[in-house]
Amino acid sequence: MLPEKVTKKELTGLLDLYNKKLQELEYKGRITKNSAGSYELSNITDFVLYERYKIPEIVRLADLASFLSLSERRIQQMTEDGLIIRARRGEYEFIPSIKNYIESINNVFEEFEEENGETKSVNLKELYIKKILNIKPNK
């Protein structure tokens, strides 16, 4: 049976944290001590659930490339184009970069030249949806 309360030493061992990290979490209000100076286990359960589903603010280049299934070089090119937001060298802002990437692929158009020399622009997303729904494209 689990205890209702744990000491600081037990908590740092349980969560595999350093004392300094625990103090930081206390300061941020993510984990709180009771008046006796121990930690309520129910409070810690909430913290663990929060940490499990927390989305990172900053990610490394390799992680972002892996997440988007792109090469690291492509991420760097997209950074130069202003789509991916660099936080500092080798690290990127996760949410704004993902939002920009999704926005960019939502508006993908491709230009091609027809046999008669006319240049046409086609919305690839719309074409893909029509293909899935078996709708014939307009000529």
Side-chain angles (χ1 to χ4, degrees), residues 64-105:
L64 185 59
S66 174
F67 183 80
L68 294 175
S69 298
L70 298 171
S71 70
E72 291 182 13
R73 180 63 192 131
R74 182 65 187 126
I75 297 294
Q76 291 166 340
Q77 290 168 339
M78 293 171 77
T79 302
E80 292 167 10
D81 294 339
L83 286 174
I84 303 296
I85 311 300
R86 182 178 308 177
R88 52 192 161 270
R89 185 181 173 138
E91 295 184 335
Y92 299 83
E93 293 184 25
F94 187 66
I95 299 295
S97 296
I98 298 301
K99 283 181 178 179
N100 289 348
Y101 178 73
I102 291 169
E103 180 74 25
S104 73
I105 61 174

